[in-house]
Amino acid sequence: MTYDALLFDMDGVLLDFPPEHPEVYRRAVASTFEEFGVEPADADLDAFISGATVEDMRRACAEHDIEFETFWPKRERNASRLQCAMMDSGERRLYDDCRVLSKLADTHDMGVVSSNQHATVEYLLTRFGFEDSFDAVYGRIPTVDGFRRTKPATYYLERAMADLDGANGLYIGDSACDVVAAHSAGLDSVFIRRSHREGYALPEAPTHEVSSLADLHDLSGVVSDPSA
């Protein structure tokens, strides 16, 4: 297989996970409730954390007479601001192996497809000087529909492939969700098993597995040696 498009997840692939990462989203939800004059209980915050559904979040807002469609864009803005500040302070950093990206961009069309906020993804690319390396950039837009379209849904992956006019794409991610989304979109997958994924079980086998972005040069169809 020769790949004409390389798509990358952001969190855990390009940008590292600090130990307190889940707390960032909790802080964003808490500050958003406070904008509406509500001191949230733990249950209110839990409704918005990993694995939450739109129905869970809508229910938590309704209990405080808050319109969820009004709450959600504010929550997205607050989460993005916190994460961008963490990049500025060095709390969130690029993985060292991101140095191979410029070489890969010389030979492949590339994109970023993340379930994080689009504003956060764009900030990362600007902050670390990757604006010219990626021709398709998708994070979730700050609407309820934007959230529903995140992985494992294929919406953003398909948009990126259309932008790149790619026929054979490879999606590099660090979660089961990434593998499932890639295959559902008709793409081959790379699972990158970084330190935070030690012992992590995948219900569906990826096309390839690597431990570093530098290992991409060993895959058929990817540039022969990005460090050369």
Side-chain angles (χ1 to χ4, degrees):
M1 172 72 73
T2 298
Y3 301 112
D4 55 9
L6 304 180
L7 302 179
F8 296 81
D9 182 29
M10 183 179 78
D11 298 293
V13 175
L14 307 180
L15 192 65
D16 71 354
F17 277 114
E20 69 278 11
H21 186 63
E23 185 62 25
V24 174
Y25 292 102
R26 200 171 187 87
R27 285 163 52 198
V29 175
S31 64
T32 308
F33 270 113
E34 290 164 5
E35 289 184 36
F36 289 89
V38 172
E39 185 174 341
D42 285 343
D44 296 322
L45 303 181
D46 290 343
F48 284 81
I49 306 305
S50 181
T53 65
V54 169
E55 290 69 29
D56 292 333
M57 296 185 285
R58 191 183 299 279
R59 190 177 305 112
C61 286
E63 289 178 359
H64 299 286
D65 296 322
I66 299 171
E67 179 68 31
F68 177 57
E69 281 73 13
T70 302
F71 183 98
W72 182 252
K74 295 179 181 293
R75 182 269 185 201
E76 292 289 80
R77 180 198 63 202
N78 289 333
S80 185
R81 284 178 176 175
L82 281 170
Q83 292 180 90
C84 293
M86 292 174 77
M87 292 184 224
D88 289 341
S89 68
E91 293 175 85
R92 297 205 69 186
R93 301 179 181 182
L94 285 180
Y95 287 105
D96 289 342
D97 56 12
C98 284
R99 64 185 181 276
V100 306
L101 294 175
S102 59
K103 186 66 174 180
L104 289 170
D106 288 341
T107 53
H108 290 77
D109 292 329
M110 300 205 313
V112 178
V113 179
S114 172
S115 291
N116 211 320
Q117 298 84 27
H118 187 76
T120 307
V121 179
E122 286 195 319
Y123 189 80
L124 174 141
L125 299 180
T126 301
R127 178 73 175 76
F128 297 107
F130 285 119
E131 307 101 309
D132 296 331
S133 296
F134 297 98
D135 296 315
V137 178
Y138 285 95
R140 69 181 187 230
I141 60 173
T143 65
V144 178
D145 281 344
F147 176 76
R148 291 187 188 276
R149 289 168 170 168
T150 56
K151 298 169 293 186
T154 61
Y155 178 81
Y156 292 114
L157 286 170
E158 291 171 349
R159 289 286 300 272
M161 286 297 292
D163 286 354
L164 298 177
D165 196 24
N168 297 310
L170 186 66
Y171 185 52
I172 300 97
D174 73 317
S175 71
C177 184
D178 294 329
V179 174
V180 171
H183 295 174
S184 296
L187 308 177
D188 280 2
S189 62
V190 173
F191 176 72
I192 183 165
R193 192 176 293 277
R194 297 199 185 275
S195 59
H196 68 282
R197 291 305 193 197
E198 290 180 6
Y200 181 81
L202 289 169
E204 183 174 337
T207 313
H208 312 280
E209 181 171 324
V210 299
S211 59
S212 166
L213 294 179
D215 296 332
L216 290 175
H217 71 270
D218 291 329
L219 305 183
S220 175
V222 180
V223 65
S224 59
D225 187 352
S227 65

